[in-house]
Amino acid sequence: MTKRDYYEILGVTKDATDAKIKKSYRELARKHHPDLNPDTKSDAEEKFKEVSEAYEVLMDKDKRARYDQFGHSGVFNQGAGGFQWSDFTHYQDVEDIFGDFGGSIFNMFFGGNRRSRRTGPKKGNDLRYDITISLKNAFDSIERTINMEKMVVCPECKGSRSKSGSSPSTCHTCNGSGQVQKVRATPFGQFATITTCDSCHGSGQIINDPCLKCRGKGSVRGKKKIKVKIPAGIEDGSHIRIPGEGNPSTTGGPSGDLYIVVHIKNDSNFYREGTELLYDQIISFPQATLGDTITVNTIDGKVQMKIPAGTRHGKVLRLKGKGMPDLRTGRRGDQHVRIFIDIPTSLSEEQKDLIRKLGDSFGKTPAEEKKGFFKNLGF
Ligand SMILES: [Zn+2]
Ligand SMILES: [Zn+2]
């Protein structure tokens, strides 16, 4: 069987950004999730694995580079059957898409390989915080300190959940392990799964004398200053995960994660697409006709640009390496300068006269019309 191209599987172009790949994977994973396709389960399972394999490769800088250079054989050991679920490292993304649903799929595929993540005391809630930055900030990479209102570790019991002087006792249901074993029938066969103990919620302990300040939860409402470094080249809508800065667990588990969602304000000068920037530049008719060297704004200062003689309205000139940096490589894209030719509206009699003379010297019909004006505009 010939393997399909990873870019084709995800329906993205060779130069697709991580954000694009992620978006596409999100849609396809939803579409092919075996649990959502009960009638075509094994087919959906194959497809789900195929898109996940493609995602694994294209989201990994090294694997993607090897794939681009050597094809499928450059990535996974084809002799050993190629991609295996154990090669998949983006569980978090799948869990983000499906929640516990995503977790269940891995438990099925791995036969409980990911047990350590699925059991034990429940992790604290993940939090989301939105920040808005300018395009220039996204170019420069900035550090922001946010002052978040969130649950923080209880200052009274330091998160132990017990009143000072008292100590918790071992849970009798699970004998302190926090886990109980259950046998589950799944479409992929029977699995003995280890699940969290209901009595102690996985902590293995029973709080007899709860802390009064936090009522035995270990956390209280509070504020926390958190530093966020926003990498250069970040795209609008992408998120930065800060592990452990979500809410603390109320059952003795690890804290949740904080997701900083970054929004980028529309820039009045530059239009951005990935690493490319588009900029509109007005020049005069004589400059367009005779050529000139002009000063053009870029995201990091002004540069000189040559306008070739005979530049048409709408022509796009390129300033190489003057675009946005790539989030991973730091390599900058280009700035595309779209030329607008200014048509003067208030002219002196003398100027009008000069233009009439110029018009006469061109002849009655503009040269463009003879060649087909619309053709030149791309119609
Ligand atoms: Zn407390
Ligand atoms: Zn227990």
Side-chain angles (χ1 to χ4, degrees), residues 129-146 226-236 238-240 242 260-264 272 324-325 327:
Y129 190 93
D130 291 73
I131 64 172
T132 303
I133 61 169
S134 67
L135 185 64
K136 182 81 168 88
N137 290 155
F139 172 81
D140 287 332
S141 152
I142 52 158
E143 199 171 85
R144 281 271 173 93
T145 302
I146 56 175
I226 298 161
K227 265 195 189 156
V228 192
K229 195 173 178 318
I230 298 164
I234 194 153
E235 299 253 2
D236 181 51
S238 31
H239 66 233
I240 299 166
I242 306 182
I260 306 282
V261 181
V262 180
H263 304 276
I264 299 173
R272 177 194 191 184
M324 294 293 284
L327 189 61

Side-chain angles (χ1 to χ4, degrees), residues 185-201:
T186 77
F188 302 97
Q190 270 209 346
F191 286 105
T193 52
I194 310 261
T195 62
T196 304
C197 169
D198 288 335
S199 308
C200 63
H201 305 288

Side-chain angles (χ1 to χ4, degrees), residues 209-349:
D209 211 358
C211 163
L212 292 177
K213 188 168 171 73
C214 63
R215 299 208 177 108
K217 288 195 155 119
S219 55
V220 292
R221 279 228 147 262
K223 276 191 173 176
K224 188 163 182 198
K225 282 199 167 106
I226 298 161
K227 265 195 189 156
V228 192
K229 195 173 178 318
I230 298 164
I234 194 153
E235 299 253 2
D236 181 51
S238 31
H239 66 233
I240 299 166
R241 176 169 163 260
I242 306 182
E245 288 294 2
N247 279 338
S249 167
T250 53
T251 52
S255 292
D257 301 329
L258 171 64
Y259 288 88
I260 306 282
V261 181
V262 180
H263 304 276
I264 299 173
K265 267 188 292 217
N266 281 337
D267 193 274
S268 52
N269 290 314
F270 298 99
Y271 174 78
R272 177 194 191 184
E273 192 152 322
T275 58
E276 305 305 291
L277 290 174
L278 179 66
Y279 180 80
D280 288 338
Q281 175 72 45
I282 298 173
I283 60 171
S284 70
F285 172 70
Q287 283 176 314
T289 314
L290 305 172
D292 198 0
T293 297
I294 61 165
T295 304
V296 178
N297 288 322
T298 71
I299 193 86
D300 63 337
K302 295 177 189 302
V303 296
Q304 298 290 103
M305 189 179 79
K306 225 181 125 168
I307 304 285
T311 294
R312 290 172 201 283
H313 185 77
K315 167 101 183 155
V316 179
L317 301 169
R318 193 156 64 134
L319 289 172
K320 227 175 160 2
K322 286 292 171 188
M324 294 293 284
D326 180 88
L327 189 61
R328 282 167 185 270
T329 62
R331 204 181 305 129
R332 286 177 70 179
D334 302 331
Q335 176 172 325
H336 304 263
V337 181
R338 187 163 57 175
I339 299 296
F340 282 78
I341 298 171
D342 188 35
I343 304 294
T345 47
S346 54
L347 294 169
S348 67
E349 271 314 311

Side-chain angles (χ1 to χ4, degrees), residues 173-189:
T173 314
C174 61
N175 286 320
S177 71
Q179 303 174 340
V180 286
Q181 188 171 317
K182 276 181 191 154
V183 177
R184 220 155 49 109
T186 77
F188 302 97

